Amino acid sequence: MSAMTSTADAPRSPGRPRSIRADEAIIDATLDLLAEGNTIEAISVEAIAARAGVGKATIYRRWPGKDALLRDALRTLKGGQPELSGRSVREDLMLLLGAVGHNVDPRAARIMPCLVPAVNRSPEQYELYQNIIEPRRALMREVLRRGTHTGELRADLDIEVTLAMLTGPMLVQRLLRWHPDLDEATLPEKVVDGVLEGIRAR
């Protein structure tokens, strides 16, 4: 996963410390522009710099280009990775599913649905989207593989199909509000228990 580490967190040569306030202003400006309905293609580094009140050079000292900045900005919507207990596959899957489609920033409700068309029409934006979601997908993959090794889950489990079976219902409900009568608070537990019936070792 090292290839997807934030470029803003890369080691820096000795010199004047980078302004955290400038970093936050740049990230906020990027998210604000997206939340206002601007497409990824339409947003420019110039527009981000103007909104953040910084020069373009300030942005390029932190990120090599717009895609790297967008990746870091969109990742902030989701917050940090959940801390897994490791006590059981069921417990860890419920924790991970609880985070699917749940974003710590209220702007996400306006931003994420607008990303779908861009992801579908642009290979570059599809790659950006994959880079954003892969860390959490990898964490769930790790839990499932652990379950096959400990004997909790079937040894012949198709990990990738199981990922889709688990995350699909959460994404559909939280992003599209597919069914008004589903309780989002209990949905992760119900999805995990339903899928586990098919993948649990007998």
Side-chain angles (χ1 to χ4, degrees), residues 103 105-114 177:
N103 301 288
D105 192 311
R107 288 173 291 191
R110 300 192 299 275
I111 293 173
M112 299 309 289
C114 296
R177 300 179 182 178

Side-chain angles (χ1 to χ4, degrees), residues 25-95:
I26 293 166
I27 292 291
D28 276 340
T30 304
L31 294 176
D32 283 343
L33 288 168
L34 288 170
E36 290 168 7
N38 296 286
T39 65
I40 287 177
E41 295 91 341
I43 292 176
S44 65
V45 172
E46 289 84 356
I48 295 170
R51 176 66 66 93
V54 302
K56 286 172 55 179
T58 301
I59 293 178
Y60 284 119
R61 281 197 295 269
R62 290 155 170 78
W63 291 275
K66 187 178 79 169
D67 284 351
L69 170 54
L70 284 168
R71 182 172 63 243
D72 284 355
L74 291 170
R75 279 180 179 166
T76 66
L77 295 174
K78 294 184 173 298
Q81 295 275 44
E83 290 290 331
L84 304 181
S85 70
R87 286 188 291 266
S88 74
V89 168
R90 179 179 183 270
E91 185 175 325
D92 285 347
L93 288 179
M94 284 172 51
L95 184 61

Side-chain angles (χ1 to χ4, degrees), residues 2-195:
S2 59
M4 286 180 282
T5 300
S6 166
T7 53
D9 293 334
R12 293 173 54 83
S13 59
R16 186 175 64 180
R18 186 180 66 203
S19 168
I20 299 301
R21 185 172 299 174
D23 289 0
E24 293 174 349
I26 293 166
I27 292 291
D28 276 340
T30 304
L31 294 176
D32 283 343
L33 288 168
L34 288 170
E36 290 168 7
N38 296 286
T39 65
I40 287 177
E41 295 91 341
I43 292 176
S44 65
V45 172
E46 289 84 356
I48 295 170
R51 176 66 66 93
V54 302
K56 286 172 55 179
T58 301
I59 293 178
Y60 284 119
R61 281 197 295 269
R62 290 155 170 78
W63 291 275
K66 187 178 79 169
D67 284 351
L69 170 54
L70 284 168
R71 182 172 63 243
D72 284 355
L74 291 170
R75 279 180 179 166
T76 66
L77 295 174
K78 294 184 173 298
Q81 295 275 44
E83 290 290 331
L84 304 181
S85 70
R87 286 188 291 266
S88 74
V89 168
R90 179 179 183 270
E91 185 175 325
D92 285 347
L93 288 179
M94 284 172 51
L95 184 61
L96 288 170
L97 281 200
V100 171
H102 176 74
N103 301 288
V104 298
D105 192 311
R107 288 173 291 191
R110 300 192 299 275
I111 293 173
M112 299 309 289
C114 296
L115 293 182
V116 175
V119 167
N120 287 332
R121 67 174 174 258
S122 166
E124 291 79 14
Q125 303 315 323
Y126 178 74
E127 182 179 358
L128 172 65
Y129 168 71
Q130 290 297 323
N131 285 338
I132 293 168
I133 66 172
E134 176 58 24
R136 291 200 178 187
R137 190 164 52 199
L139 197 56
M140 189 176 296
R141 192 181 288 124
E142 179 183 317
V143 171
L144 294 172
R145 285 176 178 157
R146 188 186 77 218
T148 64
H149 294 152
T150 61
E152 292 177 77
L153 304 180
R154 290 165 39 183
D156 64 346
L157 180 65
D158 188 321
I159 298 291
E160 302 308 318
V161 170
T162 304
L163 288 176
M165 291 168 60
L166 288 164
T167 57
M170 298 302 303
L171 287 173
V172 167
Q173 183 61 25
R174 284 188 167 162
L175 295 184
L176 301 180
R177 300 179 182 178
W178 180 75
H179 198 312
D181 296 332
L182 288 179
D183 182 359
E184 289 193 12
T186 61
L187 188 58
E189 180 179 7
K190 291 179 178 179
V191 170
V192 168
D193 285 343
V195 174

